[in-house]
Amino acid sequence: MPSEETGETLNVLEHTRQEFNAAAGGVSESQANARPEAGRWSVLECVEHVTIVEERFVRWLERAERLEAPTVDKQKEAELLARVANRAIRAVAPEPVRPAARFTSLAEALEHFNAARTRTMQFAEERGADLYWLATEHPRFGPMNGAEMMSVIAGHARRHAEQIREVRAALEKSGDS
């Protein structure tokens, strides 16, 4: 991948990191653990889920097979980023990436998220030239290359930043803020 495209990937990853941190910023620990209603995740659970998923996706990329020829589909990358971020399309998280109280505080969860995102960005920077040569498979979106997986990672953080904003708004409306 040319350095310009690596730069684009890094910019999207950094922007969605900032968006995610801003969504969770200023939330007290009691607010972080509050669920707006039964069956909905708390802010802490959202951060835990995004962190676990990101760590998993980067491991997939680290173990990805190398293709014989690169696959480049910029339209698919953009579509994945938008599709994953779209909260109108509901999804149920697979059991291994559902929140399970892995972190004791929002601060700890955000620290782990930021460490995972740093690892993702380091991978993108170090292996940027290889992203279109990497083959992995997403259980929902099927076969994809490394650049497409980076779009999924960025879109996933954006999706849950929106969910955190929804949770915060619901808590404020109910007076739990």
Side-chain angles (χ1 to χ4, degrees):
M1 176 188 292
S3 62
E4 182 180 314
E5 290 175 341
T6 300
E8 278 181 43
T9 299
L10 291 170
N11 286 338
V12 170
L13 289 168
E14 181 57 33
H15 179 76
T16 56
R17 176 206 303 252
Q18 291 172 10
E19 182 180 353
F20 190 78
N21 279 299
V27 174
S28 71
E29 289 301 330
S30 63
Q31 290 171 323
N33 286 292
R35 290 181 173 186
E37 60 188 56
R40 290 191 58 199
W41 289 351
S42 68
V43 170
L44 178 57
E45 289 169 321
C46 290
V47 175
E48 177 185 352
H49 167 73
V50 170
T51 302
I52 299 308
V53 167
E54 185 146 341
E55 291 170 343
R56 174 179 275 221
F57 287 175
V58 171
R59 280 193 308 273
W60 290 355
L61 285 170
E62 290 169 343
R63 295 189 299 243
E65 294 180 28
R66 185 168 170 84
L67 297 166
E68 290 183 22
T71 60
V72 179
D73 187 343
K74 299 300 280 178
Q75 183 177 344
K76 183 177 178 185
E77 289 174 47
E79 288 172 358
L80 282 166
L81 179 64
R83 181 175 175 198
V84 173
N86 185 350
R87 296 260 314 135
I89 302 167
R90 294 295 176 190
V92 176
E95 188 64 37
V97 296
R98 288 188 189 151
R102 292 169 180 96
F103 305 117
T104 58
S105 69
L106 180 59
E108 178 189 12
L110 285 169
E111 182 179 317
H112 280 268
F113 165 74
N114 283 298
R117 180 52 58 96
T118 296
R119 180 175 164 201
T120 301
M121 293 176 72
Q122 286 173 338
F123 183 89
E125 191 167 27
E126 292 167 6
R127 302 282 306 275
D130 296 334
L131 288 178
Y132 289 114
W133 291 81
L134 298 178
T136 190
E137 183 148 344
H138 188 281
R140 183 169 289 137
F141 305 118
M144 60 180 55
N145 66 35
E148 293 161 355
M149 181 59 88
M150 288 293 173
S151 291
V152 170
I153 290 169
H156 189 248
R158 181 169 282 154
R159 173 187 192 84
H160 289 287
E162 180 59 29
Q163 183 178 8
I164 289 169
R165 289 187 287 270
E166 291 169 8
V167 168
R168 291 180 75 168
L171 291 174
E172 287 174 13
K173 187 176 180 182
S174 70
D176 289 341
S177 60

